[in-house]
Amino acid sequence: MSEILLKAENIQKSYAGVKALKSASFELLSGEVHALIGENGAGKSTFIKSVTGAIQPDSGILEVCGNKITENSPTFSKSLGVAAIYQQPALFPELSVAENIALGYEKGGFFGRVNWKKRREKAKELLDQIGAKISPDAEAGSLSMPQQQLVEIARALGANAKILILDEPTASLSEEDTNNLFRVIRDLKAKGVGMIYISHRLEELPQIADRVTVLRDGETIGTKEVKDIDRDEMIRLMVGRELSQIFPKRDVRQGEIVLELKNLGSKKAGVKNINLTVRAGEIVGIAGLVGAGRTEFARAIFGLDEADSGEVLLNGISIKNSHPRDAIRNNIAYLPEDRRKHGVILDLPIASNVTLASLKILSGRFGLNFAKEKELAAEYTRRLGVKTPSIHDSVSTLSGGNQQKVALSRWLLTKPTVLILDEPTQGIDVGAKSEIHNLMTELAEQGVAILMISSELPEVLGMSDRIAVMQGGTIVKILDRNEATQANILALALGH
Ligand SMILES: Nc1ncnc2c1ncn2[C@@H]1O[C@H](COP(=O)(O)OP(=O)(O)OP(=O)(O)O)[C@@H](O)[C@H]1O
Ligand SMILES: [Mg+2]
C-alpha cells in the first residue's frame, strides 16, 4: 500500500488583493510521480512555495507525512522530508559538488570541523546512486545546467527527501538529458520517493507521470490517471476552452536576402564556418542538441561574443557587431534564452519593461509619449495573455512564464530588421504559445527576417521555412520545410 506523503486541501493565498490560490487541493503518494499543470499564472509555483514553507498560505489544510502543518517554514518542511528543485539550479557556484551536497545533510556544522574525506565519499555514493558521472571536487559553477540539476537531486537524496518537487526541470534540457533525468526519476520512484512534477511539456507526461492535477486560476480543476487523459483534454481543462490551431504558420511572400553570414566564426563562442542567408519574411529555424553551438552562434551575430572570422552582411552591406550596441543600432534584436536572468528588469513596471527597447518609437519632440506607451503595453500584454491586475505593477509580481511573455513582447514591439529568438516559448503555456507563433508570422509578413532557435522539434517543424541543423559549432545541413522531419533533423544533430 502506498502511503500518503502529502495532502493539501483548499489552500488559499492572496498577494495584495490578487488571489494567487483560491482553492488548491493535491495529494501525493509514496512512489508516485504526480504532475501539476496549468497555464502561466495558474498558481503552480505558489502552491509549491506553500509546501516548501517559502510562503505561508492564508488558509487551508496541509499535511506532510502525517503531520498537520500549522506554521510552515523552509527548515521545518525540509525536516519533514520535502526538497525542491527549480528550473534554475540553486547551488553555490563557488563551492565544490561535495560541499553543496553536504549542505543538504550536515546540520549547522558547516563552519565547524569538516571531515573532507567522508564528505567526498558520501557525495560520490549519492552521485553514483543516480548514475551521475560528476566529480565531487568539481566547482559547482563550472558544471552544465543538467549536471547541476543532478547534483541538486543528489543533495535531496542525501537529505533523505521523501517528497521531491521538480518545477519545470526539463524546460531547457536536451532530449538526452531529459531521458537521463527520467531514468533518475524512475529510480527514485522505486525507492518510494513521491514527486510533484511541474511541466509545460504535456507530451512528456505519459512517459513519466502516474497522475495529473490541473490548476486553473488558482483552483484545482481535477485529478486524473495519466492513462485516462490525452493531451487535448489536458489543454481543455487548463484553458477552459477549445484551443485554435497549434502552429498557425501562414505562407509569407519572401523578399530580398536581409541577413547573410559568410564563413562566420568566433573562437570565443566556439562557432565556425557558418554560412546562412535569411530573407525578409522568412523564418529560419536553428535546430541542434544542447552544446551544438546554437546560442553561441546567436551571441556572435549579436556582438555578445566577437566574431573573429568571416563576414556578416545586412541588406548586402558588410557590418561588424563588436558589441550589442552595434547590433541594436543595426536594428537587430535578440531575445536571449535565459530570460529569467537577462530578459526583464524585475523592479520596473510591466508597461515600461514592454516598451523599454522601443523608446525611439515612443519619444517625440515633447519627450516620452506615455499614453502611447500605455496603449502598446496594454495591447501586447493582452495578446499574450499576461496575467496581471495592472500593467503598472512591477514585473517581479508575475509568474515565471508571464515574465517571459513580457520579455518577448518587448522585442516583438521593436519591429527589428532581423529578429533572433532563442527558445521563444520555453516555459510558456500552450495558449500563449500559439499567440507568440501568430505574432512571429505577423512580423514575417511585415518583412522581418527571423532566426528561431528551438529545442522543441514540433515547433521548429511547425514554424520554420527552412531549418539549419547545427552540430559541433557549425551548420551541418540546411533543410527545406517540406523535406524536414523529426527523424532527419535528429540524425543530423547527432552527427549521423
Ligand atoms: N509576490 C507576488 N506578488 C504579487 N502577485 C504574485 C506574487 N507571486 C505570484 N503572484 C501572482 O500569483 C499568480 C500565480 O503565480 P504562480 O507563480 O504561482 O504561477 P505559475 O502557475 O507558477 O505560472 P508559470 O507557469 O508562469 O510559472 C500570478 O497571477 C502571479 O502574478
Ligand atoms: Mg511557476
Short mmCIF file of all heavy atoms in Angstrom, two decimals, residues 200-240:
data_model
loop_
_atom_site.label_atom_id
_atom_site.label_comp_id
_atom_site.label_asym_id
_atom_site.label_seq_id
_atom_site.Cartn_x
_atom_site.Cartn_y
_atom_site.Cartn_z
N HIS A 200 5.43 22.35 -18.64
CA HIS A 200 4.57 22.80 -19.74
C HIS A 200 4.68 21.88 -20.94
O HIS A 200 4.00 22.06 -21.94
CB HIS A 200 4.93 24.23 -20.14
CG HIS A 200 4.52 25.25 -19.13
ND1 HIS A 200 3.20 25.57 -18.92
CD2 HIS A 200 5.23 26.00 -18.26
CE1 HIS A 200 3.13 26.48 -17.95
NE2 HIS A 200 4.35 26.75 -17.53
N ARG A 201 5.57 20.88 -20.83
CA ARG A 201 5.71 19.93 -21.94
C ARG A 201 4.76 18.76 -21.70
O ARG A 201 5.15 17.72 -21.15
CB ARG A 201 7.15 19.41 -21.99
CG ARG A 201 8.15 20.45 -22.41
CD ARG A 201 9.44 19.73 -22.71
NE ARG A 201 10.48 20.65 -23.11
CZ ARG A 201 11.75 20.28 -23.25
NH1 ARG A 201 12.11 19.05 -23.01
NH2 ARG A 201 12.65 21.15 -23.64
N LEU A 202 3.53 18.96 -22.14
CA LEU A 202 2.50 17.97 -21.83
C LEU A 202 2.81 16.61 -22.45
O LEU A 202 2.45 15.57 -21.92
CB LEU A 202 1.15 18.47 -22.34
CG LEU A 202 0.72 19.83 -21.78
CD1 LEU A 202 -0.63 20.24 -22.35
CD2 LEU A 202 0.67 19.79 -20.26
N GLU A 203 3.49 16.63 -23.61
CA GLU A 203 3.72 15.37 -24.32
C GLU A 203 4.63 14.44 -23.52
O GLU A 203 4.66 13.25 -23.79
CB GLU A 203 4.25 15.62 -25.73
CG GLU A 203 5.55 16.39 -25.85
CD GLU A 203 5.40 17.89 -25.60
OE1 GLU A 203 4.26 18.39 -25.46
OE2 GLU A 203 6.44 18.57 -25.51
N GLU A 204 5.39 14.97 -22.54
CA GLU A 204 6.28 14.07 -21.80
C GLU A 204 5.57 13.39 -20.63
O GLU A 204 6.09 12.43 -20.07
CB GLU A 204 7.55 14.80 -21.34
CG GLU A 204 7.31 15.85 -20.29
CD GLU A 204 8.56 16.71 -20.01
OE1 GLU A 204 9.49 16.72 -20.82
OE2 GLU A 204 8.56 17.39 -18.98
N LEU A 205 4.39 13.86 -20.27
CA LEU A 205 3.74 13.32 -19.07
C LEU A 205 3.43 11.83 -19.14
O LEU A 205 3.66 11.12 -18.15
CB LEU A 205 2.49 14.13 -18.73
CG LEU A 205 2.76 15.62 -18.43
CD1 LEU A 205 1.49 16.31 -17.95
CD2 LEU A 205 3.87 15.79 -17.40
N PRO A 206 2.92 11.31 -20.29
CA PRO A 206 2.65 9.87 -20.32
C PRO A 206 3.89 9.03 -20.04
O PRO A 206 3.79 7.92 -19.54
CB PRO A 206 2.14 9.64 -21.75
CG PRO A 206 1.64 10.96 -22.21
CD PRO A 206 2.47 11.99 -21.51
N GLN A 207 5.07 9.57 -20.36
CA GLN A 207 6.29 8.81 -20.14
C GLN A 207 6.67 8.74 -18.67
O GLN A 207 7.42 7.86 -18.27
CB GLN A 207 7.47 9.50 -20.83
CG GLN A 207 7.49 9.45 -22.31
CD GLN A 207 8.72 10.21 -22.80
OE1 GLN A 207 9.84 9.90 -22.42
NE2 GLN A 207 8.49 11.23 -23.60
N ILE A 208 6.24 9.73 -17.89
CA ILE A 208 6.85 9.85 -16.57
C ILE A 208 5.86 9.93 -15.41
O ILE A 208 6.16 9.51 -14.31
CB ILE A 208 7.84 11.06 -16.57
CG1 ILE A 208 8.81 10.96 -15.42
CG2 ILE A 208 7.14 12.40 -16.61
CD1 ILE A 208 9.77 9.84 -15.52
N ALA A 209 4.65 10.43 -15.67
CA ALA A 209 3.75 10.69 -14.55
C ALA A 209 2.71 9.60 -14.37
O ALA A 209 2.32 8.93 -15.33
CB ALA A 209 3.07 12.04 -14.74
N ASP A 210 2.25 9.42 -13.13
CA ASP A 210 1.17 8.48 -12.85
C ASP A 210 -0.18 9.19 -12.86
O ASP A 210 -1.13 8.74 -13.45
CB ASP A 210 1.39 7.83 -11.48
CG ASP A 210 2.72 7.13 -11.40
OD1 ASP A 210 2.92 6.19 -12.18
OD2 ASP A 210 3.57 7.53 -10.58
N ARG A 211 -0.22 10.33 -12.14
CA ARG A 211 -1.46 11.11 -12.13
C ARG A 211 -1.16 12.54 -12.53
O ARG A 211 -0.01 12.99 -12.48
CB ARG A 211 -2.06 11.11 -10.72
CG ARG A 211 -2.76 9.80 -10.37
CD ARG A 211 -3.60 9.93 -9.12
NE ARG A 211 -2.79 10.14 -7.92
CZ ARG A 211 -3.29 10.39 -6.72
NH1 ARG A 211 -4.61 10.50 -6.57
NH2 ARG A 211 -2.51 10.55 -5.67
N VAL A 212 -2.20 13.26 -12.90
CA VAL A 212 -2.02 14.66 -13.25
C VAL A 212 -3.14 15.48 -12.61
O VAL A 212 -4.30 15.05 -12.61
CB VAL A 212 -1.97 14.85 -14.79
CG1 VAL A 212 -3.18 14.27 -15.48
CG2 VAL A 212 -1.82 16.33 -15.16
N THR A 213 -2.75 16.60 -12.02
CA THR A 213 -3.74 17.52 -11.45
C THR A 213 -3.66 18.83 -12.20
O THR A 213 -2.57 19.34 -12.48
CB THR A 213 -3.49 17.73 -9.94
OG1 THR A 213 -3.89 16.54 -9.24
CG2 THR A 213 -4.29 18.91 -9.39
N VAL A 214 -4.83 19.36 -12.57
CA VAL A 214 -4.88 20.61 -13.35
C VAL A 214 -5.30 21.76 -12.44
O VAL A 214 -6.30 21.68 -11.74
CB VAL A 214 -5.89 20.49 -14.51
CG1 VAL A 214 -5.91 21.77 -15.34
CG2 VAL A 214 -5.55 19.29 -15.39
N LEU A 215 -4.49 22.81 -12.48
CA LEU A 215 -4.82 24.05 -11.76
C LEU A 215 -5.26 25.08 -12.79
O LEU A 215 -4.64 25.22 -13.83
CB LEU A 215 -3.59 24.62 -11.06
CG LEU A 215 -3.28 24.36 -9.60
CD1 LEU A 215 -2.08 25.20 -9.19
CD2 LEU A 215 -4.46 24.69 -8.71
N ARG A 216 -6.34 25.78 -12.50
CA ARG A 216 -6.73 26.90 -13.37
C ARG A 216 -7.16 28.05 -12.47
O ARG A 216 -8.00 27.87 -11.60
CB ARG A 216 -7.88 26.50 -14.30
CG ARG A 216 -8.17 27.56 -15.37
CD ARG A 216 -9.58 27.47 -15.91
NE ARG A 216 -9.90 26.13 -16.36
CZ ARG A 216 -11.16 25.68 -16.46
NH1 ARG A 216 -12.18 26.45 -16.13
NH2 ARG A 216 -11.38 24.45 -16.84
N ASP A 217 -6.57 29.23 -12.69
CA ASP A 217 -6.90 30.41 -11.89
C ASP A 217 -6.89 30.11 -10.40
O ASP A 217 -7.81 30.51 -9.68
CB ASP A 217 -8.27 30.95 -12.29
CG ASP A 217 -8.25 31.54 -13.68
OD1 ASP A 217 -7.17 32.01 -14.09
OD2 ASP A 217 -9.29 31.53 -14.35
N GLY A 218 -5.89 29.39 -9.95
CA GLY A 218 -5.74 29.15 -8.51
C GLY A 218 -6.63 28.08 -7.93
O GLY A 218 -6.68 27.89 -6.72
N GLU A 219 -7.35 27.37 -8.81
CA GLU A 219 -8.26 26.33 -8.32
C GLU A 219 -7.91 24.97 -8.91
O GLU A 219 -7.58 24.88 -10.09
CB GLU A 219 -9.68 26.64 -8.77
CG GLU A 219 -10.51 27.35 -7.73
CD GLU A 219 -11.87 27.70 -8.30
OE1 GLU A 219 -11.97 28.72 -9.00
OE2 GLU A 219 -12.80 26.93 -8.05
N THR A 220 -8.01 23.93 -8.12
CA THR A 220 -7.83 22.59 -8.66
C THR A 220 -9.07 22.21 -9.45
O THR A 220 -10.18 22.19 -8.92
CB THR A 220 -7.59 21.57 -7.53
OG1 THR A 220 -6.35 21.91 -6.90
CG2 THR A 220 -7.48 20.16 -8.08
N ILE A 221 -8.86 21.95 -10.74
CA ILE A 221 -9.98 21.61 -11.61
C ILE A 221 -10.27 20.12 -11.56
O ILE A 221 -11.40 19.68 -11.66
CB ILE A 221 -9.66 22.03 -13.07
CG1 ILE A 221 -9.49 23.55 -13.15
CG2 ILE A 221 -10.71 21.55 -14.05
CD1 ILE A 221 -10.73 24.33 -12.79
N GLY A 222 -9.20 19.32 -11.40
CA GLY A 222 -9.42 17.88 -11.30
C GLY A 222 -8.12 17.11 -11.30
O GLY A 222 -7.06 17.65 -11.61
N THR A 223 -8.21 15.85 -10.90
CA THR A 223 -7.06 14.95 -10.89
C THR A 223 -7.44 13.70 -11.66
O THR A 223 -8.54 13.18 -11.50
CB THR A 223 -6.70 14.57 -9.44
OG1 THR A 223 -6.33 15.76 -8.74
CG2 THR A 223 -5.54 13.59 -9.40
N LYS A 224 -6.55 13.25 -12.54
CA LYS A 224 -6.82 12.05 -13.33
C LYS A 224 -5.59 11.17 -13.41
O LYS A 224 -4.47 11.65 -13.29
CB LYS A 224 -7.20 12.45 -14.76
CG LYS A 224 -8.49 13.20 -14.86
CD LYS A 224 -9.22 12.78 -16.11
CE LYS A 224 -10.66 13.23 -15.97
NZ LYS A 224 -11.50 12.88 -17.06
N GLU A 225 -5.84 9.88 -13.65
CA GLU A 225 -4.73 8.99 -14.00
C GLU A 225 -4.25 9.43 -15.38
O GLU A 225 -5.07 9.70 -16.26
CB GLU A 225 -5.25 7.55 -14.12
CG GLU A 225 -5.83 6.98 -12.85
CD GLU A 225 -4.76 6.43 -11.92
OE1 GLU A 225 -3.72 5.98 -12.43
OE2 GLU A 225 -4.98 6.47 -10.69
N VAL A 226 -2.95 9.49 -15.57
CA VAL A 226 -2.42 9.96 -16.85
C VAL A 226 -2.91 9.09 -18.01
O VAL A 226 -3.18 9.58 -19.11
CB VAL A 226 -0.87 10.02 -16.82
CG1 VAL A 226 -0.30 10.16 -18.21
CG2 VAL A 226 -0.41 11.19 -15.95
N LYS A 227 -3.08 7.79 -17.75
CA LYS A 227 -3.50 6.92 -18.85
C LYS A 227 -4.94 7.18 -19.29
O LYS A 227 -5.35 6.78 -20.36
CB LYS A 227 -3.28 5.44 -18.49
CG LYS A 227 -4.06 4.98 -17.27
CD LYS A 227 -3.83 3.49 -17.10
CE LYS A 227 -4.46 2.84 -15.88
NZ LYS A 227 -5.37 3.54 -15.01
N ASP A 228 -5.69 7.89 -18.46
CA ASP A 228 -7.09 8.16 -18.80
C ASP A 228 -7.31 9.54 -19.41
O ASP A 228 -8.45 9.97 -19.58
CB ASP A 228 -7.97 8.07 -17.54
CG ASP A 228 -7.96 6.67 -16.96
OD1 ASP A 228 -7.71 5.72 -17.74
OD2 ASP A 228 -8.16 6.54 -15.74
N ILE A 229 -6.23 10.28 -19.70
CA ILE A 229 -6.43 11.63 -20.21
C ILE A 229 -5.44 11.88 -21.34
O ILE A 229 -4.27 11.49 -21.24
CB ILE A 229 -6.27 12.69 -19.08
CG1 ILE A 229 -6.49 14.11 -19.60
CG2 ILE A 229 -4.94 12.60 -18.37
CD1 ILE A 229 -6.59 15.16 -18.48
N ASP A 230 -5.90 12.46 -22.45
CA ASP A 230 -4.96 12.75 -23.53
C ASP A 230 -4.62 14.25 -23.52
O ASP A 230 -5.17 15.03 -22.75
CB ASP A 230 -5.51 12.30 -24.90
CG ASP A 230 -6.79 13.03 -25.27
OD1 ASP A 230 -7.14 14.01 -24.58
OD2 ASP A 230 -7.43 12.63 -26.26
N ARG A 231 -3.68 14.60 -24.40
CA ARG A 231 -3.15 15.96 -24.43
C ARG A 231 -4.25 17.01 -24.65
O ARG A 231 -4.31 18.04 -23.99
CB ARG A 231 -2.12 16.02 -25.56
CG ARG A 231 -1.31 17.27 -25.60
CD ARG A 231 -0.41 17.22 -26.83
NE ARG A 231 -0.47 18.50 -27.50
CZ ARG A 231 0.33 19.53 -27.22
NH1 ARG A 231 1.26 19.40 -26.34
NH2 ARG A 231 0.19 20.67 -27.86
N ASP A 232 -5.16 16.68 -25.58
CA ASP A 232 -6.23 17.64 -25.89
C ASP A 232 -7.08 17.92 -24.67
O ASP A 232 -7.48 19.06 -24.42
CB ASP A 232 -7.12 17.12 -27.02
CG ASP A 232 -6.43 17.26 -28.36
OD1 ASP A 232 -5.35 17.92 -28.39
OD2 ASP A 232 -6.92 16.71 -29.35
N GLU A 233 -7.36 16.87 -23.91
CA GLU A 233 -8.21 17.10 -22.74
C GLU A 233 -7.46 17.88 -21.66
O GLU A 233 -8.04 18.74 -20.99
CB GLU A 233 -8.75 15.78 -22.17
CG GLU A 233 -9.92 16.06 -21.25
CD GLU A 233 -10.45 14.83 -20.54
OE1 GLU A 233 -10.07 13.71 -20.92
OE2 GLU A 233 -11.23 15.02 -19.58
N MET A 234 -6.16 17.58 -21.53
CA MET A 234 -5.37 18.37 -20.56
C MET A 234 -5.46 19.84 -20.92
O MET A 234 -5.68 20.70 -20.05
CB MET A 234 -3.89 17.95 -20.61
CG MET A 234 -3.58 16.61 -20.00
SD MET A 234 -1.77 16.38 -19.96
CE MET A 234 -1.63 14.66 -20.35
N ILE A 235 -5.28 20.15 -22.20
CA ILE A 235 -5.30 21.55 -22.64
C ILE A 235 -6.67 22.16 -22.37
O ILE A 235 -6.80 23.27 -21.88
CB ILE A 235 -4.94 21.66 -24.14
CG1 ILE A 235 -3.49 21.23 -24.34
CG2 ILE A 235 -5.16 23.08 -24.65
CD1 ILE A 235 -3.03 21.19 -25.77
N ARG A 236 -7.70 21.38 -22.66
CA ARG A 236 -9.06 21.89 -22.46
C ARG A 236 -9.30 22.24 -20.99
O ARG A 236 -9.84 23.28 -20.65
CB ARG A 236 -10.08 20.87 -22.95
CG ARG A 236 -11.29 21.47 -23.60
CD ARG A 236 -12.08 20.47 -24.43
NE ARG A 236 -12.08 19.12 -23.92
CZ ARG A 236 -12.75 18.71 -22.85
NH1 ARG A 236 -13.52 19.54 -22.20
NH2 ARG A 236 -12.67 17.46 -22.45
N LEU A 237 -8.84 21.36 -20.11
CA LEU A 237 -9.01 21.61 -18.68
C LEU A 237 -8.17 22.81 -18.22
O LEU A 237 -8.59 23.60 -17.38
CB LEU A 237 -8.63 20.38 -17.86
CG LEU A 237 -9.54 19.17 -18.02
CD1 LEU A 237 -8.97 17.97 -17.27
CD2 LEU A 237 -10.95 19.49 -17.52
N MET A 238 -6.98 22.95 -18.80
CA MET A 238 -6.10 24.04 -18.40
C MET A 238 -6.64 25.40 -18.80
O MET A 238 -6.60 26.36 -18.03
CB MET A 238 -4.72 23.88 -19.06
CG MET A 238 -3.79 22.94 -18.33
SD MET A 238 -2.36 22.51 -19.34
CE MET A 238 -1.56 24.08 -19.55
N VAL A 239 -7.10 25.50 -20.05
CA VAL A 239 -7.50 26.82 -20.55
C VAL A 239 -9.00 27.04 -20.45
O VAL A 239 -9.48 28.16 -20.60
CB VAL A 239 -7.02 27.06 -22.00
CG1 VAL A 239 -5.52 27.01 -22.07
CG2 VAL A 239 -7.63 26.09 -22.96
N GLY A 240 -9.76 25.96 -20.22
CA GLY A 240 -11.19 26.11 -20.06
C GLY A 240 -11.92 26.46 -21.34
O GLY A 240 -13.01 27.00 -21.33
#
